[in-house]
C-alpha cells in the first residue's frame, strides 16, 4: 500500500482523537515500519490492519466502522488534492471512471501501486452495480470511499453489498441506489 494511505489514516486519527492516540496505536501495533511513513513509500497492508485493530481496541469502535469512516475521510482529501478526478457530472459517472481514468493516472505516478479493481457490471439512471476486487480485504474502506464521493457530488445513496468471495481477497458486489 502506498504511504499516502497510511499518512492520511494517521492524520484522520489525530484529527478525530488526538496525537496521543496516534502515538499509542503506532506503539501498540509494533509495526515493521515503526509508523514512519512517507507518502510515496510502499508498505505492507498488514500494517494498516494492525493500526485499525489497535484503534478499534482503544476507541471502542468496530473495525468496519473505522474503515468506512477512513474511506469517507480519504474521499474528502482526494477531492481537494486531485479535483480533476472529481469533475464527472455525477457519482455514477465518477465511479465508472475509477479504473479507466483515475487508476491509469495513479499507475503513471506510482507504477508499483497495487490498486483495487472496480468494474461497473450494470447501470441504470437510479442504480449502479459495482464489482470490487482486491487482495487486501478492504471492502469497508471501499464503501466509505463511495459514500464520501456521493457526499462530494451531493447525492444521497443507499449501498448494499454482497460478498462474492473472500478466498484470495475481497470480491464484493456493491449496489449503489439513488435515495
Amino acid at each position: 500500500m502506498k504511504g499516502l494511505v497510511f499518512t492520511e489514516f494517521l492524520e484522520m486519527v489525530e484529527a478525530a482523537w488526538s496525537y496521543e492516540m496516534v502515538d499509542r496505536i503506532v506503539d501498540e501495533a509494533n509495526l515493521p515500519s515503526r509508523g514512519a511513513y512517507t507518502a510515496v513509500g510502499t508498505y505492507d497492508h498488514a500494517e494498516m490492519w494492525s493500526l485499525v485493530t489497535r484503534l478499534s481496541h482503544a476507541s471502542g469502535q468496530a473495525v468496519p466502522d473505522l474503515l468506512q469512516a477512513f474511506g469517507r475521510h480519504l474521499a474528502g482529501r482526494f477531492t481537494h488534492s486531485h479535483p480533476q478526478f472529481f469533475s464527472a457530472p455525477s457519482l455514477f459517472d465518477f465511479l465508472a471512471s475509477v479504473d479507466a481514468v483515475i487508476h491509469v493516472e495513479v499507475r503513471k505516478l506510482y507504477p508499483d501501486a497495487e490498486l483495487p479493481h472496480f468494474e461497473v457490471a450494470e447501470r441504470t439512471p437510479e442504480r449502479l452495480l459495482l464489482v470490487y476486487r482486491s487482495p487486501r480485504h478492504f471492502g469497508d474502506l471501499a464503501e466509505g470511499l463511495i459514500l464520501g464521493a456521493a457526499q462530494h457530488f451531493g447525492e444521497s445513496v443507499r449501498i448494499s453489498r454482497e460478498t462474492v468471495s473472500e478466498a484470495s481477497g475481497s470480491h464484493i458486489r456493491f449496489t449503489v441506489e439513488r435515495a
Side-chain angles (χ1 to χ4, degrees), residues 123-144:
R123 180 177 176 175
T124 70
E126 299 301 316
R127 184 172 171 262
L128 181 80
L129 179 61
L130 187 67
V131 179
Y132 163 85
R133 288 185 179 91
S134 172
R136 289 175 297 284
H137 299 281
F138 283 116
D140 296 311
L141 177 60
E143 186 170 342

Short mmCIF file of all heavy atoms in Angstrom, two decimals, residues 123-144:
data_model
loop_
_atom_site.label_atom_id
_atom_site.label_comp_id
_atom_site.label_asym_id
_atom_site.label_seq_id
_atom_site.Cartn_x
_atom_site.Cartn_y
_atom_site.Cartn_z
N ARG A 123 -25.78 -0.71 -14.99
CA ARG A 123 -26.06 0.69 -14.67
C ARG A 123 -27.39 1.11 -15.26
O ARG A 123 -27.67 0.89 -16.43
CB ARG A 123 -24.94 1.57 -15.23
CG ARG A 123 -25.14 3.05 -14.94
CD ARG A 123 -23.98 3.87 -15.44
NE ARG A 123 -24.24 5.28 -15.23
CZ ARG A 123 -23.37 6.24 -15.47
NH1 ARG A 123 -22.17 5.94 -15.95
NH2 ARG A 123 -23.69 7.48 -15.26
N THR A 124 -28.21 1.71 -14.41
CA THR A 124 -29.44 2.37 -14.83
C THR A 124 -29.36 3.79 -14.29
O THR A 124 -28.46 4.10 -13.50
CB THR A 124 -30.69 1.65 -14.28
OG1 THR A 124 -30.75 1.86 -12.86
CG2 THR A 124 -30.69 0.16 -14.61
N PRO A 125 -30.30 4.65 -14.63
CA PRO A 125 -30.25 6.01 -14.07
C PRO A 125 -30.32 6.05 -12.53
O PRO A 125 -29.81 6.97 -11.92
CB PRO A 125 -31.46 6.70 -14.69
CG PRO A 125 -31.67 5.98 -15.98
CD PRO A 125 -31.32 4.54 -15.68
N GLU A 126 -30.93 5.05 -11.92
CA GLU A 126 -31.12 5.06 -10.46
C GLU A 126 -30.28 4.04 -9.70
O GLU A 126 -30.28 4.05 -8.47
CB GLU A 126 -32.60 4.83 -10.14
CG GLU A 126 -33.51 5.91 -10.70
CD GLU A 126 -33.16 7.30 -10.19
OE1 GLU A 126 -32.90 7.44 -8.98
OE2 GLU A 126 -33.12 8.24 -11.00
N ARG A 127 -29.58 3.16 -10.43
CA ARG A 127 -28.89 2.05 -9.76
C ARG A 127 -27.60 1.72 -10.47
O ARG A 127 -27.54 1.69 -11.70
CB ARG A 127 -29.81 0.84 -9.77
CG ARG A 127 -29.33 -0.35 -9.04
CD ARG A 127 -30.48 -1.39 -9.00
NE ARG A 127 -30.00 -2.64 -8.51
CZ ARG A 127 -29.65 -3.66 -9.28
NH1 ARG A 127 -29.74 -3.58 -10.58
NH2 ARG A 127 -29.21 -4.77 -8.74
N LEU A 128 -26.55 1.44 -9.68
CA LEU A 128 -25.26 1.04 -10.23
C LEU A 128 -24.79 -0.19 -9.48
O LEU A 128 -24.78 -0.21 -8.24
CB LEU A 128 -24.24 2.18 -10.05
CG LEU A 128 -22.85 1.92 -10.58
CD1 LEU A 128 -22.82 2.16 -12.09
CD2 LEU A 128 -21.85 2.85 -9.91
N LEU A 129 -24.44 -1.22 -10.23
CA LEU A 129 -23.85 -2.42 -9.64
C LEU A 129 -22.36 -2.36 -9.90
O LEU A 129 -21.91 -2.38 -11.05
CB LEU A 129 -24.47 -3.68 -10.25
CG LEU A 129 -23.93 -5.01 -9.74
CD1 LEU A 129 -24.20 -5.16 -8.24
CD2 LEU A 129 -24.58 -6.16 -10.49
N LEU A 130 -21.59 -2.22 -8.84
CA LEU A 130 -20.15 -2.02 -8.92
C LEU A 130 -19.45 -3.23 -8.30
O LEU A 130 -19.71 -3.58 -7.14
CB LEU A 130 -19.76 -0.75 -8.17
CG LEU A 130 -18.34 -0.26 -8.24
CD1 LEU A 130 -18.00 0.18 -9.67
CD2 LEU A 130 -18.13 0.90 -7.28
N VAL A 131 -18.58 -3.87 -9.06
CA VAL A 131 -17.84 -5.03 -8.58
C VAL A 131 -16.45 -4.58 -8.13
O VAL A 131 -15.72 -3.95 -8.89
CB VAL A 131 -17.74 -6.12 -9.67
CG1 VAL A 131 -16.94 -7.31 -9.16
CG2 VAL A 131 -19.13 -6.56 -10.12
N TYR A 132 -16.11 -4.91 -6.90
CA TYR A 132 -14.83 -4.55 -6.29
C TYR A 132 -14.02 -5.82 -6.07
O TYR A 132 -14.53 -6.80 -5.53
CB TYR A 132 -15.12 -3.86 -4.96
CG TYR A 132 -13.95 -3.76 -4.00
CD1 TYR A 132 -13.03 -2.72 -4.10
CD2 TYR A 132 -13.79 -4.69 -2.98
CE1 TYR A 132 -11.97 -2.62 -3.21
CE2 TYR A 132 -12.74 -4.60 -2.08
CZ TYR A 132 -11.83 -3.57 -2.20
OH TYR A 132 -10.79 -3.47 -1.32
N ARG A 133 -12.76 -5.77 -6.50
CA ARG A 133 -11.85 -6.89 -6.26
C ARG A 133 -10.52 -6.34 -5.73
O ARG A 133 -9.97 -5.39 -6.29
CB ARG A 133 -11.58 -7.66 -7.55
CG ARG A 133 -12.73 -8.48 -8.03
CD ARG A 133 -12.32 -9.32 -9.27
NE ARG A 133 -13.42 -10.13 -9.73
CZ ARG A 133 -14.30 -9.75 -10.64
NH1 ARG A 133 -14.22 -8.56 -11.20
NH2 ARG A 133 -15.28 -10.54 -11.01
N SER A 134 -10.05 -6.95 -4.66
CA SER A 134 -8.77 -6.56 -4.08
C SER A 134 -8.22 -7.72 -3.26
O SER A 134 -8.99 -8.38 -2.56
CB SER A 134 -8.94 -5.34 -3.18
OG SER A 134 -7.74 -5.07 -2.49
N PRO A 135 -6.92 -7.94 -3.31
CA PRO A 135 -6.35 -9.00 -2.48
C PRO A 135 -6.25 -8.59 -1.00
O PRO A 135 -5.91 -9.40 -0.16
CB PRO A 135 -4.95 -9.21 -3.08
CG PRO A 135 -4.62 -7.92 -3.74
CD PRO A 135 -5.93 -7.35 -4.20
N ARG A 136 -6.57 -7.35 -0.66
CA ARG A 136 -6.32 -6.83 0.67
C ARG A 136 -7.53 -6.78 1.61
O ARG A 136 -7.41 -6.31 2.73
CB ARG A 136 -5.66 -5.46 0.58
CG ARG A 136 -4.22 -5.58 0.07
CD ARG A 136 -3.58 -4.26 -0.15
NE ARG A 136 -4.23 -3.47 -1.19
CZ ARG A 136 -4.11 -3.67 -2.49
NH1 ARG A 136 -3.38 -4.65 -2.95
NH2 ARG A 136 -4.73 -2.91 -3.36
N HIS A 137 -8.69 -7.17 1.20
CA HIS A 137 -9.86 -7.24 2.10
C HIS A 137 -10.24 -5.89 2.70
O HIS A 137 -10.49 -5.78 3.90
CB HIS A 137 -9.63 -8.25 3.22
CG HIS A 137 -9.41 -9.65 2.76
ND1 HIS A 137 -10.44 -10.47 2.38
CD2 HIS A 137 -8.26 -10.35 2.59
CE1 HIS A 137 -9.93 -11.64 2.00
NE2 HIS A 137 -8.62 -11.58 2.11
N PHE A 138 -10.32 -4.85 1.88
CA PHE A 138 -10.70 -3.54 2.36
C PHE A 138 -12.04 -3.08 1.77
O PHE A 138 -12.21 -1.93 1.38
CB PHE A 138 -9.61 -2.50 2.06
CG PHE A 138 -8.43 -2.58 2.99
CD1 PHE A 138 -7.18 -2.92 2.52
CD2 PHE A 138 -8.59 -2.32 4.34
CE1 PHE A 138 -6.09 -2.99 3.37
CE2 PHE A 138 -7.50 -2.39 5.21
CZ PHE A 138 -6.26 -2.72 4.73
N GLY A 139 -13.01 -3.97 1.77
CA GLY A 139 -14.34 -3.64 1.27
C GLY A 139 -15.00 -2.51 2.05
O GLY A 139 -15.71 -1.68 1.48
N ASP A 140 -14.77 -2.46 3.37
CA ASP A 140 -15.36 -1.39 4.18
C ASP A 140 -14.75 -0.04 3.80
O ASP A 140 -15.46 0.97 3.75
CB ASP A 140 -15.16 -1.66 5.67
CG ASP A 140 -15.88 -2.91 6.13
OD1 ASP A 140 -17.08 -3.05 5.80
OD2 ASP A 140 -15.25 -3.76 6.80
N LEU A 141 -13.46 -0.02 3.53
CA LEU A 141 -12.80 1.20 3.08
C LEU A 141 -13.37 1.63 1.73
O LEU A 141 -13.66 2.81 1.52
CB LEU A 141 -11.29 0.97 2.98
CG LEU A 141 -10.43 2.11 2.46
CD1 LEU A 141 -10.55 3.35 3.32
CD2 LEU A 141 -8.98 1.66 2.36
N ALA A 142 -13.56 0.68 0.82
CA ALA A 142 -14.14 0.99 -0.50
C ALA A 142 -15.55 1.57 -0.34
O ALA A 142 -15.90 2.55 -1.01
CB ALA A 142 -14.17 -0.26 -1.38
N GLU A 143 -16.34 1.00 0.55
CA GLU A 143 -17.69 1.52 0.78
C GLU A 143 -17.64 2.95 1.31
O GLU A 143 -18.41 3.82 0.89
CB GLU A 143 -18.45 0.63 1.75
CG GLU A 143 -19.90 1.04 1.92
CD GLU A 143 -20.73 0.03 2.69
OE1 GLU A 143 -20.32 -1.14 2.83
OE2 GLU A 143 -21.81 0.44 3.14
N GLY A 144 -16.69 3.22 2.21
CA GLY A 144 -16.53 4.58 2.72
C GLY A 144 -16.12 5.55 1.62
O GLY A 144 -16.59 6.69 1.59
#
